[in-house]
Amino acid sequence: MHKKVTKRLHGAAAKSTRKTDIRKPKVGTRERLLEVALRQFAAGGFAGATVDQIVAAAHVNKRMVYHYFGSKEDLYCAVLELMYERLAQLDEALFPLAGDPATVIREIVRIYFRFLRDNPDLVQLLLWENLQKGKYMERIAQRSERVSKSPMLGYLEKITEAGMAAGAFRRDLNIKHLLINLIGLCLVYFSNRYTLSRSVNLALEDEAVLEEAAKHAADLVIRGIAA
Amino acid sequence: MHKKVTKRLHGAAAKSTRKTDIRKPKVGTRERLLEVALRQFAAGGFAGATVDQIVAAAHVNKRMVYHYFGSKEDLYCAVLELMYERLAQLDEALFPLAGDPATVIREIVRIYFRFLRDNPDLVQLLLWENLQKGKYMERIAQRSERVSKSPMLGYLEKITEAGMAAGAFRRDLNIKHLLINLIGLCLVYFSNRYTLSRSVNLALEDEAVLEEAAKHAADLVIRGIAA
């Protein structure tokens, strides 16, 4: 089952980064525009990508942007929704994980590391949106529960309560803070990899270093929440 | 001693954000330019701030930028160096902390949280520099050890070795990964506060929530590294 989860996630990542795929006629104009816009907004933020650049790279007529999305702002919001949808799918792909609570948490950390490694565009979009003070996210959060609530929250609560009931986890854990801790331990490795690589003198992009980092983070959390 | 450290750090933060201070005649033109440039580059990144905007806000002649720094790129690099200098000073201010290793680690987390809360400009500059793939940081790292090496690394090694020697800490800790873990646990709360506030439905800017978050992160690390 774990292999299946990893494969499914990896498949999604590969589709979004391999350039050859997006020119296949099977992919609709709207989807192609979205994928190209996601890459370009991830690289330059809302202000750094123009509609002209996006339509040129997607090989579609400029009118299609207005037809499918309305405006550049709406296109950017659709990209953010796609980002949240992928993050939600990642979380939901983890729900079938079974086993003792500590093993499940270790697996979550391992899969988060792989997903973030395979989806640098999503990491960058998150940074941009925070630098923009969550302006566009607030707009789409009004209409989408995928954006306004992390699916991981309820799942983590279930795992943690099982761990507490079994006497394996500390009883003073706060699920919301624990989720922030988990995200911080995984995300920083990718979001701040350029400055961190320098500061600690480690090649963070190296596969062996990444495996070691995921294990170190998982060990810290599992020991950190143990009763 | 802990109070003195906090006060010193808070003093530095207040100086960099209070607008009234930077117009005092005592502050030199170069320093005033740097402080204004730091705020403006933090808000908009390298591309988002123009030299015209910076000199207008600093009330200095445009020629002064070229006189003191050379170019816009050099001014940006000087801002990054200032950021690294402040981060290094933060770390060095922690060195006199004494007590048992677990208490020292708790105190580091608490002070990191306060520093990041008081210095949103530095948090944003870090994000920008990573979005720019560490381009400017690499340039200044060649000439400055303050940039190319975290002063916290050696200090953390000392604390951790003391903890191991006392039998209080796990022997399989890796100092570099532990520092990344520590930074992740503290930084994410501020760097991703807009998206996280929404995802977990918590007012992260609330002072009580922040105290709770710092305690939760510190508890996780201390339990996580314990033997």
Side-chain angles (χ1 to χ4, degrees), chain A residues 119-158:
Chain A
N119 292 275
D121 284 346
L122 302 191
V123 174
Q124 302 224 149
L125 278 173
L126 271 176
L127 295 192
W128 284 114
E129 191 50 19
N130 280 288
L131 281 169
Q132 289 156 182
K133 302 190 190 301
K135 180 180 160 186
Y136 298 102
M137 180 209 64
E138 281 303 324
R139 199 179 302 178
I140 54 173
Q142 312 294 332
R143 61 175 188 246
S144 167
E145 233 208 19
R146 301 297 257 184
V147 177
S148 63
K149 202 180 169 208
S150 165
M152 183 46 85
L153 210 51
Y155 179 55
L156 195 61
E157 193 167 11
K158 218 180 70 184

Side-chain angles (χ1 to χ4, degrees), chain B residues 7 27 56 73 143 153 174 180 184 190:
Chain B
K7 200 184 155 204
V27 181
E73 294 209 339
R143 64 176 187 246
L153 210 51
N174 176 303
I180 294 175
F190 302 93

Side-chain angles (χ1 to χ4, degrees), chain A residues 19-56:
Chain A
K19 278 180 190 161
T20 46
D21 276 355
I22 58 160
R23 296 196 190 171
K24 279 182 188 164
K26 265 190 177 174
V27 181
T29 305
R30 187 179 183 281
E31 286 64 35
R32 196 158 74 235
L33 260 172
L34 257 184
E35 288 295 344
V36 171
L38 188 145
R39 282 207 303 277
Q40 300 223 358
F41 284 133
F46 176 76
T50 68
V51 171
D52 283 332
Q53 287 166 342
I54 293 166
V55 295

Side-chain angles (χ1 to χ4, degrees), chain A residues 138 177 181 198 212 216, chain B residues 138 148 177 181 198 212 216:
Chain A
E138 281 303 324
H177 287 302
N181 295 160
R198 244 317 163 181
E212 207 176 63
H216 204 272
Chain B
E138 280 304 324
S148 64
H177 286 301
N181 295 161
R198 242 321 160 179
E212 207 176 62
H216 204 273

Side-chain angles (χ1 to χ4, degrees), chain A residues 96-111:
Chain A
L97 287 177
D100 75 290
T103 308
V104 173
I105 300 252
R106 176 177 297 284
E107 193 61 10
I108 291 174
V109 171
R110 201 180 65 84
I111 292 178

Side-chain angles (χ1 to χ4, degrees), chain B residues 189-200:
Chain B
Y189 189 89
F190 302 93
S191 63
N192 286 58
R193 65 190 175 285
Y194 295 101
T195 51
L196 282 178
S197 282
R198 242 321 160 179
S199 301
V200 305

Side-chain angles (χ1 to χ4, degrees), chain A residues 165-202:
Chain A
F169 289 0
R170 279 157 51 203
R171 293 216 154 258
D172 62 343
L173 295 175
N174 175 303
I175 304 299
K176 293 182 176 187
H177 287 302
L178 180 59
L179 180 55
I180 295 175
N181 295 160
L182 262 175
I183 294 173
L185 286 166
C186 300
L187 186 64
V188 77
Y189 189 89
F190 302 91
S191 64
N192 285 59
R193 64 190 176 283
Y194 295 100
T195 51
L196 283 177
S197 283
R198 244 317 163 181
S199 300
V200 305
N201 191 27
L202 256 187

